[in-house]
């Protein structure tokens, strides 16, 4: 290859990355707009019976503190995003599964599921080769709904609160 091509190819690669990032950030922005405090309160608390909980796997309770700890362990940002994406895709499906189609939160959760599906399309790199091993083990466990994993009863609003807090940690810098 002639050296003259190199800056050009670099330029194309950067443009490609930026386009991908912009698409990702558009989806994140849409998620932010759908996951405001008011909407979480209304759809995940007021429309549910008092103290209603959803059963999730232990690993699906992914809090800000988990991310802080994993960052201290130098886990890559890609791994963290893959973890957040797979955990919350599963969590949303579990909330959706307890709703009838006429439930006032049904469509809300459906919209969120669709946005997560779009986001997953941007993350082809979420595979065993690219994700840090210890995180991949958790991702795999979440995706296969490992029967051996212990279950936890969690308020649906708390699950989405976790989703939003972690989303802010992972995307506020790159998508501002
Ligand atoms: C809901 O949970 C709270 C805190 O655990 C408890 O004080 C309250 O009695 C519960 N309400 C109902 C209706 O079960
Ligand atoms: C999150 O942190 C809790 C303890 O705070 C831990 O038990 C759990 O395994 C962690 N989850 C993940 C996915 O790292
Ligand atoms: C993480 O990286 C920092 C800086 O490179 C290093 O000082 C630290 O020891 C690493 N921590 C772990 C748990 O590997």
């Amino acid at each position: 290859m002639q050296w003259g091509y190199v800056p050009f190819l670099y330029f194309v690669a950067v443009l490609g990355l930026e386009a991908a990032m912009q698409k990702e950030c558009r989806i994140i922005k849409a998620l932010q707009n759908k996951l405001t405090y008011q909407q979480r309160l209304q759809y995940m608390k007021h429309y549910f019976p008092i103290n209603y909980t959803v059963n999730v796997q232990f690993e699906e309770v992914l809090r800000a503190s988990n991310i802080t700890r994993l960052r201290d362990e130098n886990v890559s940002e890609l791994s963290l995003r893959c973890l957040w994406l797979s955990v919350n895709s599963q969590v949303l499906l579990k909330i959706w599964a307890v709703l009838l189609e006429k439930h006032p939160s049904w469509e809300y959760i459906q919209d969120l599921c669709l946005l997560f599906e779009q986001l997953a399309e941007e993350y082809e790199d979420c595979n065993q080769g690219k994700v840090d091993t210890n995180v991949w083990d958790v991702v795999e466990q979440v995706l296969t709904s490992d029967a051996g994993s212990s279950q936890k009863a969690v308020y649906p609003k708390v699950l989405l609160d976790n989703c939003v807090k972690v989303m802010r940690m992972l995307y506020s810098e790159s998508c501002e």
Side-chain angles (χ1 to χ4, degrees), residues 21 25 28 32 71 77 81 164-176:
M21 200 62 217
C25 288
I28 292 297
Q32 269 173 356
R71 274 184 176 160
E77 288 298 302
R81 288 178 184 188
V164 169
K165 281 183 205 149
V166 172
M167 178 169 73
R168 281 196 201 116
M169 289 178 86
L170 297 180
Y171 290 96
S172 59
E173 253 177 57
S174 47
C175 287
E176 269 326 308

Side-chain angles (χ1 to χ4, degrees), residues 15-27:
L15 276 187
L17 270 181
E18 290 218 326
M21 200 62 217
Q22 272 174 17
K23 178 140 190 245
E24 197 179 322
C25 288
R26 266 204 306 276
I27 302 169

Side-chain angles (χ1 to χ4, degrees), residues 58-166:
F58 194 69
E59 293 77 15
E60 286 166 339
V61 188
L62 185 67
R63 299 189 185 92
S65 58
N66 287 94
I67 301 302
T68 306
R69 185 151 30 87
L70 289 168
R71 274 184 176 160
D72 288 345
E73 292 168 13
N74 295 336
V75 163
S76 71
E77 288 298 302
L78 174 70
S79 301
L80 295 177
R81 288 178 184 188
C82 293
L83 178 63
W84 172 78
L85 184 65
S86 42
V87 161
N88 285 287
S89 302
Q90 292 301 307
V91 160
L92 284 168
L93 289 175
K94 284 184 180 174
I95 299 175
W96 208 22
V98 302
L99 302 175
L100 292 172
E101 201 175 331
K102 297 239 157 106
H103 190 282
S105 301
W106 191 87
E107 208 176 300
Y108 177 71
I109 295 292
Q110 185 189 41
D111 290 348
L112 288 171
C113 285
L114 288 174
L115 286 169
F116 268 89
E117 269 175 34
Q118 286 176 25
L119 197 57
E121 284 169 16
E122 301 300 304
Y123 277 93
E124 284 164 2
D125 278 350
C126 285
N127 57 47
Q128 198 163 8
K130 296 267 175 70
V131 172
D132 295 358
T133 322
N134 51 339
V135 171
W136 182 255
D137 291 345
V138 180
V139 168
E140 214 163 34
Q141 187 159 19
V142 165
L143 292 181
T144 55
S145 305
D146 194 333
S149 157
S150 51
Q151 300 278 311
K152 209 173 167 186
V154 187
Y155 297 130
K157 178 170 170 294
V158 168
L159 290 168
L160 291 199
D161 291 348
N162 288 340
C163 174
V164 169
K165 281 183 205 149
V166 172

